[in-house]
Amino acid sequence: MGKLTTHTEELHPKNPYLQDLLSAEGALSDGTWKVKAIPNGKGPTPLTTATTPKPLIPTESIRVWSDFLRVHLHPRSICVIQKYNHDGEAGLLEAFGQGESVLKEPRYLEELDDRLHFFVEECDYLQGFQILCDLHDGFSGVGAKATELLQDEYSGRGIITWGLLPGPYSLQQEPQKNIYRLLNTAFGLVHLSAQSSLVCPLSLGGSLGLRPDPPVNFPHLRYDASLPFHCSAILATALDTVTVPYRLHSSPVSMVQLADMLTFSGRKVVTAGAAIPFPLVPSQSLPDALAQLGGTTPWTPLSACGDMCGTRCFAQSVVLRGLDRACHTSHLTPGTPLPSLLHACTTGEEVLAQYFQQQQPRVRSSSHLLLTPCRVLPPYPRLFSSSLSQQGLIQDDPPTGAAVESIPVLGTLSSSASLNQTLGDLAKELTKLDLRRWASFMDAGVEQGDLEELLQDLHSLAQCYQGGDSLMD
């Protein structure tokens, strides 16, 4: 026998934020868990204390999404693309064609197929698939190829795709990265919309084109748009809310039904919005809060598609969560004149339906009311102003200093006429490019004919949203 050689590699040290997070959850420095005995003999549980843990704040050492991931992923849910690295100048997954070619390789295709079948076989009822992928880099191509494969193998199931875009801070880059971002986004939207039941871009002040949208403003949040940790928390809050209709056992709406309601007439791209938190004073009822808004839109756009105020909406799905049942309806003293028709409604669902009927009478609307609030305990970042109570309500009296533990959230998905201009402007920016200057993008697997077809598809997609810009048209 030959000599046995052992190669060892030191474990990469956890960054300080992850160490604090594990400590707060009851883990010792070596990764084991502190436990305490239960008198009834049911076994150990993680140790808890009555003291309030110090706020967990991400440090500069955080580089990738997994650095602040709290969920422990199933080992078979991970498929690592070994040929590209996350950082550095070599091996970046930066072009649509690169990403698309990854899932054409037998190695990755078989690995993805194996992992997918493992989880599909565990499902009692498979509604469909949700895909989250970057639109601005090579993962746009990975997502497009993945949706194509899912459509081929699971035809009839829902495929809802969330395309993630960086914030405005990333637009201050060298021209090549901006042009790549533009091309990747355009290819991603066209290919994903062709294979998905629904596609929704998500961003905090980013842009589908080269010019950034105005900064996204939430009156009661204090966040830094340059920190992915902050942005991901806000977008995850909106995503968790708008997907409620098809995730609850009690909901009669399936993934496919929601997509069909929003994307009729070929309008596969939709926009998202949210009110985080939904503005409510403890003494108010839901009819009071909605009537106080007047004709203003109660949510902030989150899809990098410009200001949609005043533009026509074709269809929308609205979810309001986290309001106590007692404040769903008005409780005026008998004989008091009703301030609005909303105050005459007998359920919270009726209040929402009446409000959107008043504001947008020609819009196909679906509304859902959920009692469960959005929990914002650590590792959720401390983004909230001192004007909020522990339950996320706007305080009338001076702040108590208690940390916010949960918030009410309103989220919406809508098919809007604003996408006509947004997609049309994206096509115009592409026509201005001298593609001969961007040969490196073409070398990644895209040909001249593909770009010409892309422009035609973008124009066709934009035309689906024609029909007037005003709600009164």
Side-chain angles (χ1 to χ4, degrees):
M1 295 181 63
K3 292 183 179 180
L4 178 64
T5 305
T6 303
H7 298 271
T8 61
E9 182 178 349
E10 293 185 6
L11 291 175
H12 186 73
K14 290 185 173 64
N15 64 64
Y17 172 72
L18 276 181
Q19 293 175 5
D20 289 344
L21 179 57
L22 289 171
S23 176
E25 291 185 329
L28 297 175
S29 59
D30 61 358
T32 60
W33 294 88
K34 296 179 289 184
V35 297
K36 62 179 180 179
I38 304 298
N40 61 13
K42 292 184 179 180
T45 60
L47 179 66
T48 58
T49 63
T51 59
T52 302
K54 64 179 181 179
L56 299 175
I57 302 174
T59 66
E60 293 182 357
S61 60
I62 285 185
R63 303 296 300 276
V64 295
W65 61 273
S66 56
D67 280 343
F68 48 86
L69 183 68
R70 187 174 191 170
V71 178
H72 299 283
L73 300 177
H74 191 290
R76 298 194 68 172
S77 69
I78 303 171
C79 179
V80 180
I81 302 174
Q82 299 286 358
K83 63 189 298 184
Y84 296 106
N85 61 6
H86 174 75
D87 207 353
E89 295 300 323
L92 292 177
L93 185 57
E94 57 183 359
F96 180 88
Q98 288 176 308
E100 200 175 31
S101 65
V102 165
L103 292 186
K104 293 179 180 178
E105 297 182 24
R107 170 189 172 185
Y108 293 112
L109 183 58
E110 292 172 6
E111 188 174 356
L112 176 64
D113 192 56
D114 176 66
R115 281 155 169 69
L116 185 62
H117 280 113
F118 174 81
F119 290 103
V120 167
E121 290 170 1
E122 295 293 317
C123 291
D124 294 326
Y125 169 61
L126 177 64
Q127 287 197 63
F129 305 90
Q130 289 194 115
I131 294 179
L132 283 83
C133 68
D134 291 337
L135 277 180
H136 63 287
D137 58 22
F139 278 101
S140 178
V142 175
K145 191 62 179 177
T147 56
E148 180 184 333
L149 297 172
L150 290 174
Q151 184 62 250
D152 289 343
E153 189 161 356
Y154 299 94
S155 179
R157 304 294 184 181
I159 303 175
I160 293 185
T161 305
W162 310 94
L164 306 175
L165 291 161
Y169 68 91
S170 66
L171 296 179
Q172 307 301 321
Q173 300 173 338
E174 57 265 34
Q176 176 171 323
K177 289 188 176 181
N178 273 330
I179 298 302
Y180 272 35
R181 186 179 60 81
L182 180 70
L183 290 165
N184 288 326
T185 300
F187 272 102
L189 280 176
V190 167
H191 285 256
L192 289 169
S193 62
Q195 303 293 340
S196 303
S197 308
L198 174 155
V199 178
C200 180
L202 290 175
S203 178
L204 286 183
S207 174
L208 295 182
L210 293 177
R211 291 175 296 179
D213 280 3
V216 174
N217 178 46
F218 293 94
H220 300 286
L221 297 187
R222 306 290 181 264
Y223 75 95
D224 184 347
S226 67
L227 292 179
F229 184 72
H230 286 188
C231 295
S232 63
I234 294 172
L235 294 179
T237 300
L239 185 60
D240 186 62
T241 300
V242 299
T243 57
V244 159
Y246 57 82
R247 289 193 296 108
L248 296 182
H249 287 294
S250 58
S251 175
V253 179
S254 69
M255 181 184 288
V256 171
Q257 289 171 331
L258 178 67
D260 288 344
M261 189 272 288
L262 290 171
T263 62
F264 62 97
S265 300
R267 303 182 181 108
K268 290 291 191 74
V269 182
V270 302
T271 60
I276 305 175
F278 179 74
L280 188 74
V281 175
S283 59
Q284 278 186 323
S285 65
L286 177 58
D288 295 331
L290 293 176
Q292 185 176 310
L293 291 171
T296 60
T297 304
W299 54 76
T300 298
L302 292 176
S303 289
C305 294
D307 187 4
M308 294 179 290
C309 182
T311 59
R312 181 178 177 183
C313 179
F314 303 107
Q316 64 185 7
S317 171
V318 181
V319 176
L320 178 59
R321 64 185 300 184
L323 296 188
D324 188 85
R325 192 183 298 276
C327 67
H328 285 184
T329 58
S330 177
H331 298 285
L332 296 174
T333 305
T336 304
L338 297 177
S340 70
L341 292 176
L342 300 177
H343 292 76
C345 298
T346 57
T347 66
E349 288 81 2
E350 288 182 15
V351 172
L352 285 178
Q354 178 66 36
Y355 174 76
F356 291 112
Q357 175 62 28
Q358 290 177 355
Q359 297 299 315
Q360 300 167 329
R362 299 174 55 191
V363 175
R364 182 189 299 187
S365 292
S366 172
S367 56
H368 302 267
L369 202 58
L370 182 66
L371 295 177
T372 307
C374 179
R375 303 285 288 176
V376 290
L377 297 173
Y380 200 99
R382 302 292 184 180
L383 305 177
F384 306 100
S385 68
S386 59
S387 61
L388 298 180
S389 69
Q390 283 183 285
Q391 290 71 43
L393 302 181
I394 302 172
Q395 301 180 113
D396 292 323
D397 49 2
T400 61
V404 179
E405 297 181 352
S406 63
I407 56 172
V409 179
L410 184 143
T412 178
L413 293 176
S414 61
S415 176
S416 170
S418 64
L419 285 163
N420 174 255
Q421 180 174 345
T422 299
L423 297 172
D425 289 346
L426 182 58
K428 289 178 182 178
E429 290 185 340
L430 288 172
T431 58
K432 297 176 183 177
L433 294 180
D434 182 359
L435 298 177
R436 292 171 298 181
R437 295 183 56 194
W438 311 108
S440 56
F441 188 90
M442 310 285 284
D443 292 340
V446 175
E447 299 178 357
Q448 179 68 34
D450 296 326
L451 290 170
E452 294 173 357
E453 185 178 350
L454 170 69
L455 289 174
Q456 294 177 1
D457 291 340
L458 265 180
H459 284 298
S460 298
L461 192 58
Q463 289 174 1
C464 293
Y465 298 90
Q466 288 181 341
D469 293 330
S470 172
L471 291 174
M472 303 304 294
D473 287 349

